[in-house]
Amino acid sequence: MKSLEELKAIRERMQGQVGMRGEEENSIRVVVGMATCGIAAGARPVLTAFSDLVQEKNLTNVTVTQTGCIGMCMYEPIVEITMPGKEKVTYVKMTAEKAAEVVESHIIGGNVLTKYTIKD
Amino acid sequence: MYRSHVLVCGGTGCTSSGSQAIINALETEIKKNGLETEVQVVKTGCFGLCALGPIMIVYPEGTFYSMVKEEDIAEIVSEHLLKGRIVSRLVYDETVADTGIKSLNDTAFYKKQMRVALRNCGVINPECIDEYIGCDGYEALGKVLTTMTPDQVIDTILDSGLRGRGGGGFPTGLKWKLAKGNDADQKYVCCNADEGDPGAFMDRSILEGDPHVVLEAMTIAGYAIGATQGYIYIRAEYPIAVDRLNVAIKQAREYGLLGKNIFGTDFSFDIELRLGAGAFVCGEETALMTSIEGHRGEPRPRPPFPAVKGLFGKPTILNNVETYANIPRIILLGADWFKSIGTEKSKGTKVFALGGKIKNTGLVEIPMGTTLREVVEEIGGGIPNGKKFKAAQTGGPSGGCIPAHLIDTPIDYDNLIAIGSMMGSGGLIVMDEDTCMVDIAKFFLEFTVDESCGKCTPCRIGTKRLLEMLDNITKGKATLEDIDKMEELCYYIKDNSLCGLGQTAPNPVLSTLKFFRDEYVAHVVDKKCPAGVCKDLLSYSIIKDKCFGCGMCAKACPAGAITKTDYVAPGKKLPAYEIDTAKCVKCGACVGTCKFKAIVKE
Ligand SMILES: Cc1cc2nc3c(=O)[nH]c(=O)nc-3n(C[C@H](O)[C@H](O)[C@H](O)COP(=O)(O)O)c2cc1C
Ligand code: SF4
Ligand code: SF4
Ligand code: SF4
Ligand code: FES
């Protein structure tokens, strides 16, 4: 290592990694329903898509977690997104492709994609 | 990208309770479930809750599993890591709330803590320099080498008010300034990782959990005082810490963070380890340096002080591991940030090893000025079995005790000294009403008698005499004059010993005499141990009128000291039993066998 820039490069690469450990009050949480019904309905590729995109786009303030059954099995795969200070948004019948859209528009852009949210 | 990190403690405590087997099982199960690209297993340093080990924490949820067993791993992986269902049966009970699972940071144990020196312990993989860098590691070194002069570094440390965490509480910046002021062709930076206090293990935990922080801080110190070589003096009984330091030094050299021309500047610095044999006195600064030089670790008179003539006769600074662990944060966040924590004359935090009669034992880091009550009742979770708090011992064999009426004392260097104790390296032993204070003083004296190097008479002979006097008191063989003589001897040893070991050895006696003199008097005058600890002053007897003659106690007695009498108590059918005090070995086994509470201990 000859320069501060090299150190900074390592730091930035690692921050996304270690940043998850510890309580981040200001982070955006993506929660994927991963009970048996969710997995059967294809929740795993959705989960992987979110994780990969968050990494690719270097979104250090986003954590991706899975949870158990959200209780609406016919809508699986279900994804909930919580932003600091905002209402929780629930997306239903997700796929990896839809996940990419949600990352772009909702997580990065701040616009909820109502076409995929639950209608009640 | 790993969506989940499973941190397993690889500290000494958890390693001995089997954390390596947990890691292996996790890796197997994770593969079995096809999660190896999603879940990362990280072996970290100590979390501070060693009594609950092996410890495991799953992020991003922050779920805290304690006392994990190998058999539990399959369930944790398939339920939690695959399906996201926390296995609540295995979760640390303090984190289970009515509303679900709380984060570890919200538990009483962690809430009042503030992690500065321990900030990376239990968070990063100590064998991965990149993770340290990811937590701002080596940024302070970069800042110092490229934007600050040595004087600016020293001024920052001076201004921060940081004082040595190894016992004495000497201002760190001042120590550096003195060493910088002495011109020499060579100077040295040393780290004291000898950790001799029998109750303390924070230095080991820092080295195991975050070894790079010490390397970075020593390099900063080298730049500040103008040294190019550092030594870490570590006890050989800390094999995990030694390994991690060796790995860390190798990685730092590979990255050019140790060695020649660091960050392309003309500053060069390297660090070597020196293993100590574990004698307590080798932690004393002059003895430590003599030992690094390859001689027998014995103290020498000061002056000259190490800042003038230290290692190999050159200007040297020696700081404690925890002291160093504060340095990079002070450089990065500034002296004002550090000064904002703590009390007027004691800034920052202090790590304590909480032990004894307390619910949560472990390592705690608290801002200076936290009261003993907060530590005992909140962080420590109180005293088990409904017993009352009697005193806390701080400072190990050099320290003293804080009695119950001073429990609201804010803990800092000066307050502890004022009440006759000291900060020491940070052992904090809680004692309840079943503790005999004379016995405690004797325990520490036994330690110092064993560890006295023998170089000077007041310490070598004096501490031995002191121990004999204490022993006589616990046996009821002393008089009131003996107590006064003992006190005089204490002051004599303090004033005439060559090094800190002897100078502080009488402290446990003096401080218990100060606050618990009546207990000493009870031993001497009434020949009784009020706490019921000193065996020679105890006797067991059967209250015959309560005895039903069932004979259970006689069966339990290993010494055959209990026999039947001819006496039948009023209202009872069988003859009562009695204890032959000449045969009784005071094991206490009979007491619990008597359903009628007829056996008493006095
Ligand atoms: C008998 C004796 C044992 C000591 N043991 C230790 C020790 O194990 N670790 C330590 O850091 N300091 C120990 N010290 C204190 C050191 O002499 C020295 O003051 C300290 O390492 C300086 O570092 P600091 O200013 O950062 O606290 C001991 C002192 C005495 C008198
Ligand atoms: S005070 Fe004790 S330990 Fe210190 S030099 Fe004298 S004999 Fe050795
Ligand atoms: S204390 Fe032990 S030795 Fe003494 S009488 Fe009871 S059982 Fe026997
Ligand atoms: S156990 Fe109690 S009641 Fe029974 S013989 Fe012993 S002292 Fe008497
Ligand atoms: S060694 Fe694991 S918590 Fe201390």
Side-chain angles (χ1 to χ4, degrees):
Chain A
M1 175 143 4
K2 280 283 156 268
S3 67
L4 286 175
E5 282 68 48
E6 284 169 73
L7 185 74
K8 191 161 162 244
I10 301 177
R11 183 165 63 245
E12 279 171 0
R13 173 166 59 77
M14 293 305 294
Q15 251 160 4
Q17 279 280 333
V18 289
M20 171 197 298
R21 304 171 202 165
E23 252 55 37
E24 264 307 329
E25 304 271 302
N26 300 321
S27 70
I28 301 174
R29 295 179 70 89
V30 178
V31 181
V32 184
M34 285 283 287
T36 313
C37 48
I39 295 176
R44 290 196 57 76
V46 174
L47 179 71
T48 340
F50 272 110
S51 314
D52 289 347
L53 286 164
V54 162
Q55 167 81 346
E56 242 166 61
K57 308 208 181 277
N58 214 1
L59 305 172
T60 47
N61 62 334
V62 181
T63 64
V64 182
T65 357
Q66 77 286 50
T67 184
C69 183
I70 296 177
M72 301 178 289
C73 304
M74 71 277 207
Y75 292 121
E76 295 281 8
I78 296 177
V79 174
E80 295 175 338
I81 297 186
T82 326
M83 293 203 164
K86 295 213 180 107
E87 287 274 309
K88 178 163 74 188
V89 177
T90 306
Y91 291 106
V92 296
K93 298 197 173 166
M94 289 299 283
T95 61
E97 294 72 39
K98 290 181 189 170
E101 279 182 69
V102 168
V103 169
E104 276 305 326
S105 155
H106 184 169
I107 297 179
I108 299 175
N111 300 313
V112 178
L113 276 177
T114 39
K115 58 179 172 175
Y116 300 140
T117 57
I118 192 160
K119 317 267 187 304
D120 50 9
Chain B
M1 150 99 176
Y2 295 109
R3 64 171 164 82
S4 178
H5 295 192
V6 182
L7 276 53
V8 183
C9 177
T12 293
C14 292
T15 302
S16 60
S17 55
S19 62
Q20 190 56 49
I22 302 289
I23 294 177
N24 298 344
L26 267 171
E27 277 165 355
T28 316
E29 287 298 321
I30 285 173
K31 266 211 195 83
K32 227 191 256 170
N33 286 278
L35 296 172
E36 63 267 39
T37 56
E38 294 171 39
V39 180
Q40 184 188 25
V41 179
V42 186
K43 182 164 149 189
T44 69
C46 176
F47 288 83
L49 279 163
C50 317
L52 296 172
I55 274 168
M56 176 171 146
I57 182 160
V58 181
Y59 282 110
E61 299 91 323
T63 313
F64 186 76
Y65 291 110
S66 61
M67 297 198 221
V68 183
K69 293 197 202 60
E70 224 180 313
E71 309 84 271
D72 300 327
I73 298 301
E75 184 179 351
I76 293 179
V77 172
S78 68
E79 283 298 296
H80 187 161
L81 298 180
L82 184 66
K83 294 178 194 152
R85 286 196 291 238
I86 292 171
V87 186
S88 37
R89 157 178 87 77
L90 300 171
V91 166
Y92 174 43
D93 57 4
E94 292 279 310
T95 61
V96 181
D98 301 341
T99 48
I101 307 285
K102 285 191 286 188
S103 110
L104 189 58
N105 290 343
D106 290 332
T107 59
F109 181 74
Y110 274 109
K111 218 184 315 175
K112 289 233 158 157
Q113 293 199 47
M114 176 172 188
R115 303 211 145 202
V116 178
L118 297 178
R119 63 187 281 270
N120 289 330
C121 289
V123 176
I124 63 167
N125 173 353
E127 297 190 0
C128 174
I129 189 172
D130 284 358
E131 291 207 354
Y132 178 65
I133 294 173
C135 295
D136 305 333
Y138 289 107
E139 200 182 335
L141 179 62
K143 177 174 172 185
V144 161
L145 293 187
T146 57
T147 68
M148 292 170 86
T149 65
D151 282 322
Q152 284 171 332
V153 176
I154 290 174
D155 287 341
T156 306
I157 303 300
L158 258 180
D159 187 27
S160 75
L162 175 66
R163 294 169 67 173
R165 303 297 193 233
F170 191 81
T172 306
L174 190 55
K175 195 182 268 189
W176 293 17
K177 195 181 172 121
L178 294 171
K180 167 151 198 294
N182 292 312
D183 283 326
D185 53 343
Q186 179 62 277
K187 296 182 190 177
Y188 298 101
V189 171
C190 296
C191 173
N192 192 340
D194 196 51
E195 197 156 64
D197 175 347
F201 60 98
M202 58 286 294
D203 294 347
R204 184 187 75 201
S205 291
I206 293 171
L207 294 170
E208 283 175 0
D210 196 14
H212 284 286
V213 76
V214 175
L215 305 186
E216 182 180 6
M218 287 177 71
T219 313
I220 292 171
Y223 175 74
I225 70 159
T228 56
Q229 180 64 45
Y231 291 97
I232 300 177
Y233 188 83
I234 179 168
R235 49 176 51 217
E237 291 104 318
Y238 283 179
I240 298 179
V242 170
D243 277 356
R244 303 245 164 99
L245 274 173
N246 277 323
V247 170
I249 289 173
K250 185 163 160 275
Q251 290 173 341
R253 283 186 188 144
E254 276 164 13
Y255 270 29
L257 295 166
L258 280 178
K260 295 236 173 309
N261 303 107
I262 300 171
F263 285 118
T265 64
D266 51 19
F267 176 68
S268 303
F269 192 79
D270 208 351
I271 296 175
E272 282 179 36
L273 297 190
R274 285 290 178 272
L275 300 193
F280 180 55
V281 74
C282 287
E284 193 279 335
E285 57 181 18
T286 59
L288 183 146
M289 290 175 200
T290 318
S291 176
I292 294 182
E293 289 165 1
H295 307 293
R296 204 184 133 93
E298 277 183 1
R300 60 155 180 81
R302 294 174 305 178
F305 287 93
V308 183
K309 265 188 166 189
L311 189 59
F312 303 113
K314 304 291 180 189
T316 304
I317 57 162
L318 172 71
N319 280 117
N320 165 263
V321 172
E322 188 188 333
T323 312
Y324 281 125
N326 285 291
I327 300 286
R329 288 316 268 177
I330 296 174
I331 297 288
L332 279 184
L333 303 182
D336 287 334
W337 164 78
F338 194 76
K339 270 197 291 195
S340 71
I341 311 163
T343 61
E344 198 196 331
K345 287 194 180 141
S346 304
K347 300 300 182 189
T349 60
K350 177 75 191 93
V351 184
F352 285 94
L354 194 54
K357 303 284 179 63
I358 185 108
K359 189 159 159 264
N360 303 326
T361 58
L363 273 194
V364 303
E365 181 169 356
I366 48 170
M368 299 275 189
T370 306
T371 65
L372 180 60
R373 185 189 295 281
E374 291 170 289
V375 175
V376 172
E377 293 176 1
E378 295 176 43
I379 300 173
I383 295 171
N385 308 321
K387 299 274 180 175
K388 273 218 298 286
F389 173 83
K390 182 168 183 179
Q393 211 278 352
T394 64
S398 313
C401 58
I402 310 171
H405 73 272
L406 294 175
I407 195 172
D408 289 308
T409 308
I411 300 174
D412 72 6
Y413 289 101
D414 308 285
N415 283 339
L416 289 183
I417 301 258
I419 59 177
S421 184
M422 65 186 268
M423 187 79 86
S425 51
L428 203 163
I429 302 165
V430 178
M431 297 177 280
D432 68 6
E433 46 196 316
D434 294 340
T435 314
C436 167
M437 302 314 281
V438 186
D439 185 60
I440 285 290
K442 195 173 123 190
F443 167 81
F444 284 111
L445 247 292
E446 277 166 1
F447 178 84
T448 34
V449 167
D450 275 351
E451 296 291 340
S452 165
C453 79
K455 186 166 173 173
C456 65
T457 326
C459 168
R460 185 183 66 237
I461 311 282
T463 54
K464 245 191 221 117
R465 286 293 100 79
L466 202 51
L467 179 58
E468 282 164 16
M469 290 169 147
L470 282 170
D471 199 49
N472 282 338
I473 295 175
T474 61
K475 293 199 163 110
K477 290 194 219 149
T479 62
L480 283 174
E481 287 95 86
D482 289 339
I483 297 185
D484 296 335
K485 267 194 229 147
M486 186 174 77
E487 204 165 3
E488 259 170 55
L489 178 60
C490 284
Y491 289 111
Y492 176 79
I493 298 173
K494 272 177 92 71
D495 293 342
N496 293 288
S497 292
L498 174 61
C499 84
L501 192 149
Q503 289 157 7
T504 59
N507 287 354
V509 181
L510 286 172
S511 125
T512 46
L513 265 177
K514 178 171 172 190
F515 294 117
F516 298 95
R517 200 176 190 100
D518 51 335
E519 255 182 63
Y520 280 84
V521 172
H523 282 75
V524 169
V525 176
D526 315 331
K527 314 283 180 208
K528 290 264 179 275
C529 173
V533 173
C534 298
K535 274 196 176 179
D536 289 299
L537 300 179
L538 279 183
S539 67
Y540 288 87
S541 59
I542 293 173
I543 304 168
K544 285 196 185 129
D545 283 339
K546 279 194 179 178
C547 175
F548 279 78
C550 70
M552 293 303 287
C553 55
K555 280 202 192 102
C557 176
I562 307 182
T563 49
K564 207 187 304 193
T565 63
D566 302 332
Y567 175 78
V568 180
K572 312 278 188 313
K573 295 201 175 75
L574 296 168
Y577 280 65
E578 69 180 0
I579 294 175
D580 177 352
T581 44
K583 282 191 185 164
C584 172
V585 297
K586 300 173 186 178
C587 70
C590 52
V591 178
T593 62
C594 181
K595 285 196 210 100
F596 311 103
K597 297 202 164 49
I599 305 179
V600 288
K601 170 173 110 169
E602 292 176 307

